[in-house]
Amino acid sequence: MCAMLRRFFLKNIVENKFTLRTCSSDVPQFDMDNPYEKEKAECILCKYNVKVDYKNVKLLTQFQSPYTGRIYGRHITGLCSKQQALVESEIVKAQSAGLMAVYLKEPCYLKDPLLFDVEKPIRPHRY
């Protein structure tokens, strides 16, 4: 009997037909996502599919300083490079059309909800 089993196993090993069977209840399931993986950062305009237009002054004033009229940078706004360039060009277009003030923010837009915190930039700077 032992010789017969030995011949059977040797024959199947040589022909690569021998398979190892395991109990399916012992094998752990690894269909869980990586818990340490960071979420992909997406800018707020791309996330909500907001179209930037020079006539939408209420949106554009969110990206401009209320005291100096300076346009906030990407490290503060959190926008992608494409949207940041578009916002900057639309602000300049709205200012040249006379829809937006150049130096000061209109008082009616000062109490608008903030899209980002100016004091806590996404990427810290030297100052």
Side-chain angles (χ1 to χ4, degrees):
M1 181 78 166
C2 191
M4 194 163 80
L5 283 175
R6 191 177 307 135
R7 258 187 283 142
F8 173 75
F9 283 121
L10 288 176
K11 180 182 173 189
N12 285 330
I13 289 173
V14 170
E15 294 176 2
N16 292 327
K17 292 182 180 176
F18 183 72
T19 58
L20 181 65
R21 293 184 183 171
T22 60
C23 183
S24 63
S25 64
D26 291 342
V27 179
Q29 297 293 325
F30 291 109
D31 58 349
M32 186 173 81
D33 293 333
N34 185 0
Y36 301 105
E37 185 177 2
K38 289 186 177 181
E39 292 181 16
K40 185 180 177 187
E42 192 174 12
C43 78
I44 193 165
L45 298 179
C46 292
K47 185 177 182 180
Y48 295 110
N49 198 18
V50 177
K51 303 294 181 201
V52 180
D53 189 28
Y54 75 97
K55 294 175 272 188
N56 191 354
V57 178
K58 192 169 189 170
L59 174 69
L60 294 176
T61 55
Q62 296 289 315
F63 300 103
Q64 188 180 24
S65 172
Y67 307 109
T68 62
R70 185 173 178 267
I71 300 170
Y72 292 124
R74 280 183 57 199
H75 69 281
I76 296 174
T77 61
L79 296 178
C80 59
S81 59
K82 178 183 162 190
Q83 293 292 340
Q84 181 71 24
L86 183 64
V87 164
E88 288 176 1
S89 67
E90 294 297 314
I91 286 176
V92 170
K93 195 186 296 184
Q95 287 173 345
S96 64
L99 299 174
M100 278 180 71
V102 178
Y103 291 110
L104 297 173
K105 196 184 245 189
E106 295 289 332
C108 60
Y109 298 128
L110 288 175
K111 296 188 186 219
D112 285 345
L114 298 176
L115 297 177
F116 49 88
D117 189 7
V118 179
E119 300 298 323
K120 295 180 183 173
I122 295 169
R123 183 182 49 117
H125 50 79
R126 301 180 295 199
Y127 308 113

